[in-house]
Amino acid sequence: RVLFMKADDPRWADDRVRKAVALALDTQELMKIMVEGNGAWRGIVSGQHAGWTLSQEQLKSKKYFLRQDLAEAKKLIAASGQKIDTGLLFNTSYPQSYQDAVQYVAQTLTSEGIATVKAYGQEHATMRKNQDEHNYDGLVFGLDGQGAPESFLLDFKTGGPKNGSGLSNKEVDADVDK
């Protein structure tokens, strides 16, 4: 699962806000909720693609923000000077473990003072259409993934088929092409 932040939404323009959201969430807790403790975080490229992925230690390093650090998250959001109110779109057709993970994200970000989050669900086809067309309020707890790492990277290009955040960055496009 992925927490998409709408790339052209000014609420996410400050990287301190994006980092605060990442640092507020306990990835180990999310893993327990979603896959009953079995599995590992994969970062930008699926763990099934040997040689393309980062180790669990790398993903949890200070460079990638895949660890919970509430004190740092609160410092970052305070330094940004923003009070974030946002929606969190999710798929009502998915299993209970997914619904529970959405609830965890919304409750944690709200209770820790990082953002006020209101989760709102839609059935599968509508939710995916809105995710793919970047027609949502701030955040989406959605799906990602491709069968081959090259295809997965294409998702992050401007207009990519699963670019749920609507990222449009010429430097990223050039890196993917390379």
Side-chain angles (χ1 to χ4, degrees):
R1 309 296 189 267
V2 174
L3 183 61
F4 292 102
M5 296 176 188
K6 194 172 180 181
D8 63 355
D9 187 322
R11 292 175 285 191
W12 313 118
D14 188 327
D15 74 327
R16 295 172 296 189
V17 173
R18 298 187 307 270
K19 289 174 182 176
V21 168
L23 288 169
L25 301 174
D26 183 341
T27 56
Q28 291 307 113
E29 186 62 27
L30 273 169
M31 185 62 62
K32 289 177 192 172
I33 293 168
M34 291 188 299
V35 292
E36 299 175 6
N38 300 315
W41 287 97
R42 62 189 178 117
I44 196 167
V45 178
S46 176
Q48 68 192 359
H49 305 304
W52 285 71
T53 60
L54 299 172
S55 70
Q56 293 297 293
E57 292 77 29
Q58 289 169 307
L59 288 169
K60 293 174 186 170
S61 73
K62 290 196 179 264
K63 182 177 182 181
Y64 296 104
F65 301 92
L66 195 60
R67 61 189 155 53
Q68 187 177 43
D69 186 337
L70 292 171
E72 182 66 16
K74 290 175 183 180
K75 284 181 196 174
L76 287 166
I77 202 70
S80 78
Q82 295 193 56
K83 292 189 86 54
I84 304 295
D85 289 311
T86 186
L88 173 60
L89 175 61
F90 69 96
N91 189 326
T92 59
S93 304
Y94 287 163
Q96 187 61 48
S97 60
Y98 170 88
Q99 312 297 327
D100 293 345
V102 170
Q103 187 71 22
Y104 168 80
V105 170
Q107 284 181 343
T108 300
L109 293 176
T110 300
S111 68
E112 295 299 337
I114 305 304
T116 302
V117 179
K118 182 176 185 220
Y120 65 102
Q122 297 175 339
E123 54 79 29
H124 181 76
T126 302
M127 182 268 183
R128 280 310 306 247
K129 181 178 189 299
N130 285 325
Q131 174 184 320
D132 293 345
E133 293 177 357
H134 321 120
N135 182 26
Y136 55 87
D137 177 29
L139 298 171
V140 173
F141 197 75
L143 295 178
D144 70 335
Q146 292 285 4
E150 297 87 351
S151 298
F152 191 90
L153 290 174
L154 290 174
D155 288 345
F156 291 93
K157 285 186 70 166
T158 301
K162 292 186 183 177
N163 185 344
S165 290
L167 180 65
S168 180
N169 182 300
K170 290 180 184 189
E171 290 178 29
V172 171
D173 291 348
D175 285 346
V176 170
D177 288 341
K178 187 169 105 181

